[in-house]
Amino acid sequence: MFRKPLTLSQKKQWYGVLFVTPLILGLVILFLLPLIQSFRFSLSSIHLVEGGFAVDYKGWSNYSNLFTTNPDYPRRLTESVTNMIVNVPIIIIFSLFAAVLLNQKFRGRALARAIFFLPVILASAAIANLDISSFVGGSTMSGGEGNGGLMQSFELKKMLTESGLAPMFVDYITGAVDRIYEIISSSGVQILIFLAGLQSVSPALYEASRIEGATGYEIFWKVTFPMMTPLILTNMVYSIIDSFSHNSINSLISETAFKSFEFGQSAAMSWVYFAVVTAILGISTAIISRKVFYYD
Amino acid sequence: MKSPAAYADIIQYRFNPLEKSKLWLWKLVRTILIAGFCFIILFPLFLRLSVAFRSKVDIYDPTVLWIPRHFTLDNIKIAMEATHYFSALLNTFLISAGTTIIQLASCALAAYAFARLKFKGSGLLFGLVIFTIVVPPQTIMIPLYLTYRYFDLFGLVKLLSGKSSVNLIDTFWPFLISSATAMGLKNGLYIYIFRQFFRGIPKEIEESAFVDGAGVLKTFYRIMLPNAVPAIVTVLLFSFVWQWNDSYYVSLFLSKVKVLSTQLMDMGSALGKEPDLVYQSMLLNTGVLLLTAPLIILYLFVQRYFVESVERTGIVG
């Protein structure tokens, strides 16, 4: 039996298939099937019976219940989404700023970088629940104002208000300053991505703009920032996804499933949430990718 | 030999008082900013460290700020007892280390296939991988739980053992199975990182390996992997740390088996007999410190490679 041996490219393809086999298995068993099942659950009510569980089809009532009879869900959903919308721009601005700072040459740079990535190591849901600002004993340290966290920015608020900024912006900025720890601790990976990006900008560009007599400020806005736009997109997507992992709606979904055993209700909640997040991702990506500049 | 522009720079800075003062001012501002941010990051850590060694007497003593007056190890002892520290630590370490190594293998293999061994439909498959990052874990939480609760691989289990399904809850299997199939915690991100990195490695290296008679497998582990050390370090650190800190999947799959993050969540009820709320939060913070201490020690050793590797990770492509 004579068979033509495989060419190298064919061989490579088969190896490729071989390499992704576990991934395909996982995708099917642990992702796609659960996804379909979860959608089925959201349209039905589930109760555990002997040796398994029974599913009764109920139609769209789970979804309508969410917005008509459920007391918590709409409130928490809007809360989570507003938090996301408020935080993501701040996180991106801050991480770009921090990455530019850390990219410069100064003494102790390695130490500073090591410290800036610490939050990546320490960030965790369990720890976020036990935020240090809830530590009552810490109130002796922050000058006796234990309520509302460690840092308060009254001075800044007064200054900004007097300078004639709209109250909305003032609240936004001071709110960001008050939550500085939260913002820093959730921008570790984003700083990483920006740093890696800054490293890959060709030095020739900087040299050329120097020769042309651009100031540092101009160089940032005309060279660095455009080169960073693709990463801003990446980081925005990452930040939005990352805000999944610690917000109040998650705990509500988990509680609905495992405390009150309303599996169908919980699945419906997560699907609505997923739809909202996808919509936000789609809209924001569409807006940002128009402005993205690819240097090729 | 520097470029002329660099010399111009030097001359400009060295002899122009305005430029010089601007430079110094910027240096000063930068130092203040970085020091401030570092302080904000380190403050909770230092506070916890200081709190961990305080005795009860020091709580209401306003003169004690950082250094405890009555130095004691009681808090750590109580926190360790409340969390069954060492058994939980062992479990956490086993899960984290196991999943990290398996995830590294499965993600690197898949990413190499996406980067270099393209086949029909690999683009679509990669799109699916990205899609897994976007779907919130809550969406597939319940079916995933039920999958492991009544685990039955296409009816294989039924054939072999005659039972209708296996209960894998409260074992390490869910974590190992998820990792082996590259569906674990944030695995989509790791595949993305690896793929970007492998794409950045010149094709010529690979081709020369093929010409010299190495097969695809050999090329992968003799050529690609040694070149991908930065990406490997990044993914290693991320997956280990995130698995260690994860409380979501752990509380989903394990109820009797104790790991650190779930123990920490239950610690409040374990300390229920402690009437003093301030002292209770002190103990909780000590518990947080105990959870993160191994990670911090690990980070001290790894951070050098980590920070260096970040610059060449090719996250950016």
Side-chain angles (χ1 to χ4, degrees):
Chain A
M1 190 61 196
F2 178 74
R3 268 180 62 229
K4 223 165 100 178
L6 292 170
T7 61
L8 182 62
S9 66
Q10 279 173 316
K11 225 189 217 161
K12 271 188 173 175
Q13 283 187 12
W14 280 112
Y15 267 109
V17 174
L18 181 74
F19 281 8
V20 294
T21 312
L23 175 73
I24 293 174
L25 267 178
L27 267 175
V28 172
I29 301 176
L30 302 177
F31 182 73
L32 292 175
L33 285 178
L35 206 64
I36 296 162
Q37 217 176 0
S38 151
F39 190 66
R40 243 184 67 213
F41 285 177
S42 72
L43 298 176
S44 47
S45 73
I46 293 144
H47 41 264
L48 296 175
V49 293
E50 191 62 40
F53 47 92
V55 182
D56 304 330
Y57 181 75
K58 282 199 333 191
W60 295 90
S61 66
N62 274 325
Y63 288 91
S64 53
N65 282 350
L66 283 186
F67 297 101
T68 51
T69 58
N70 194 312
D72 287 334
Y73 189 74
R75 193 169 49 85
R76 294 243 190 141
L77 186 65
T78 45
E79 191 185 313
S80 296
V81 171
T82 23
N83 275 345
M84 192 193 299
I85 290 169
V86 165
N87 276 336
V88 167
I90 301 179
I91 287 174
I92 286 174
I93 291 167
F94 173 80
S95 47
L96 181 59
F97 180 71
V100 170
L101 274 185
L102 291 177
N103 197 32
Q104 299 184 329
K105 286 194 168 49
F106 55 90
R107 230 174 270 144
R109 178 170 77 157
L111 179 70
R113 283 188 183 186
I115 292 175
F116 266 77
F117 299 143
L118 252 185
V120 181
I121 311 289
L122 303 182
S124 119
I127 295 177
N129 293 341
L130 302 167
D131 201 3
I132 193 80
S133 56
S134 70
F135 175 60
V136 196
S139 61
T140 49
M141 298 197 174
S142 51
E145 35 173 276
N147 52 344
L150 290 167
M151 284 156 261
Q152 290 282 319
S153 44
F154 295 120
E155 309 299 327
L156 181 72
K157 199 165 188 159
K158 242 170 51 191
M159 200 173 80
L160 287 174
T161 318
E162 279 171 13
S163 69
L165 263 177
M168 197 178 88
F169 287 113
V170 174
D171 284 345
Y172 188 69
I173 293 170
T174 51
V177 173
D178 288 342
R179 280 177 296 120
I180 187 85
Y181 180 71
E182 190 189 326
I183 285 156
I184 289 183
S185 60
S186 53
S187 53
V189 176
Q190 287 86 328
I191 293 176
L192 257 173
I193 292 174
F194 275 136
L195 250 182
L198 286 168
Q199 303 279 340
S200 66
V201 177
S202 130
L205 290 174
Y206 289 120
E207 203 167 309
S209 33
R210 274 256 174 253
I211 291 170
E212 299 288 351
T215 59
Y217 184 77
E218 281 168 335
I219 288 178
F220 176 78
W221 284 112
K222 302 278 185 204
V223 179
T224 313
F225 188 73
M227 296 297 280
M228 285 298 107
T229 41
L231 299 180
I232 289 178
L233 183 64
T234 313
N235 268 339
M236 187 195 66
V237 173
Y238 181 83
S239 309
I240 292 175
I241 292 168
D242 194 43
S243 61
F244 293 159
S245 49
H246 37 81
N247 59 17
S248 60
I249 201 135
N250 289 352
S251 45
L252 184 71
I253 292 172
S254 304
E255 277 166 26
T256 314
F258 293 105
K259 289 222 169 69
S260 47
F261 292 105
E262 294 168 351
F263 287 131
Q265 193 82 76
S266 164
M269 278 180 184
S270 59
W271 273 92
V272 171
Y273 178 52
F274 174 44
V276 169
V277 169
T278 314
I280 291 172
L281 269 176
I283 294 165
S284 50
T285 309
I287 294 170
I288 301 258
S289 40
R290 273 198 223 150
K291 306 274 178 203
V292 168
F293 167 82
Y294 289 104
Y295 180 81
D296 283 327
Chain B
M1 180 68 201
K2 290 178 183 167
S3 63
Y7 280 118
D9 261 6
I10 293 167
I11 290 166
Q12 208 184 14
Y13 281 135
R14 197 163 293 169
F15 301 110
N16 185 339
L18 178 68
E19 286 295 332
K20 219 163 146 179
S21 59
K22 257 207 264 185
L23 188 73
W24 277 104
L25 187 68
W26 169 235
K27 270 189 177 167
L28 185 72
V29 170
R30 190 176 63 196
T31 313
I32 291 172
L33 277 174
I34 289 175
F37 288 142
C38 288
F39 173 76
I40 292 171
I41 293 168
L42 290 174
F43 178 77
L45 193 65
F46 286 156
L47 189 57
R48 285 193 179 121
L49 266 175
S50 140
V51 161
F53 296 108
R54 277 182 210 190
S55 72
K56 262 174 136 167
V57 189
D58 286 355
I59 301 176
Y60 299 109
D61 186 347
T63 59
V64 175
L65 282 180
W66 285 105
I67 313 286
R69 181 160 303 171
H70 303 276
F71 190 84
T72 149
L73 293 174
D74 281 355
N75 300 344
I76 296 184
K77 216 162 70 191
I78 296 171
M80 276 189 174
E81 275 166 15
T83 53
H84 306 291
Y85 187 67
F86 288 105
S87 64
L89 184 73
L90 182 69
N91 282 338
T92 310
F93 180 78
L94 284 178
I95 290 177
S96 302
T99 52
T100 300
I101 290 163
I102 298 172
Q103 276 174 20
L104 202 68
S106 61
C107 292
L109 280 174
Y112 183 55
F114 286 131
R116 286 279 191 269
L117 311 169
K118 294 218 166 58
F119 50 92
K120 265 202 192 105
S122 62
L124 177 76
L125 201 61
F126 187 68
L128 266 177
V129 170
I130 298 299
F131 187 58
T132 59
I133 307 179
V134 177
V135 174
Q138 284 73 23
T139 311
I140 57 169
M141 172 179 72
I142 302 157
L144 204 60
Y145 176 83
L146 294 171
T147 305
Y148 284 122
R149 174 68 186 79
Y150 306 104
F151 190 75
D152 191 1
L153 195 65
F154 304 128
L156 270 180
V157 176
K158 199 165 182 169
L159 276 177
L160 295 173
S161 65
K163 271 185 293 188
S164 60
S165 63
V166 189
N167 180 5
L168 292 182
I169 299 296
D170 263 340
T171 61
F172 290 171
W173 283 108
F175 299 98
L176 299 179
I177 291 170
S178 302
S179 309
T181 55
M183 280 293 119
L185 194 66
K186 304 208 185 189
N187 277 196
L189 183 69
Y190 308 149
I191 292 178
Y192 178 77
I193 291 176
F194 270 132
R195 174 173 168 266
Q196 290 291 63
F197 196 87
F198 287 144
R199 278 170 69 187
I201 294 177
K203 274 201 167 118
E204 288 77 8
I205 301 180
E206 253 180 301
E207 274 161 11
S208 59
F210 288 140
V211 169
D212 289 346
V216 177
L217 269 172
K218 200 166 185 178
T219 312
F220 175 69
Y221 76 76
R222 295 290 297 274
I223 309 285
M224 293 312 250
L225 280 186
N227 273 321
V229 166
I232 290 177
V233 171
T234 309
V235 170
L236 259 180
L237 189 79
F238 277 177
S239 63
F240 189 82
V241 163
W242 279 334
Q243 184 59 55
W244 186 285
N245 283 335
D246 167 61
S247 52
Y248 176 77
Y249 283 102
V250 169
S251 56
L252 185 65
F253 296 141
L254 304 174
S255 58
K256 294 192 201 68
V257 180
K258 293 300 175 209
V259 292
L260 281 177
S261 52
T262 48
Q263 285 289 53
L264 197 63
M265 287 205 261
D266 303 339
M267 196 172 158
S269 54
L271 296 171
K273 54 189 181 297
E274 178 62 51
D276 187 346
L277 281 177
V278 180
Y279 190 57
Q280 211 175 356
S281 84
M282 244 169 88
L283 289 174
L284 279 177
N285 278 308
T286 311
V288 173
L289 193 71
L290 283 176
L291 168 82
T292 49
L295 289 181
I296 295 170
I297 293 163
L298 174 84
Y299 186 64
L300 286 178
F301 286 108
V302 183
Q303 59 92 10
R304 254 190 52 225
Y305 307 100
F306 176 61
V307 174
E308 278 171 20
S309 70
V310 164
E311 303 184 356
R312 292 172 289 123
T313 301
I315 284 182
V316 189

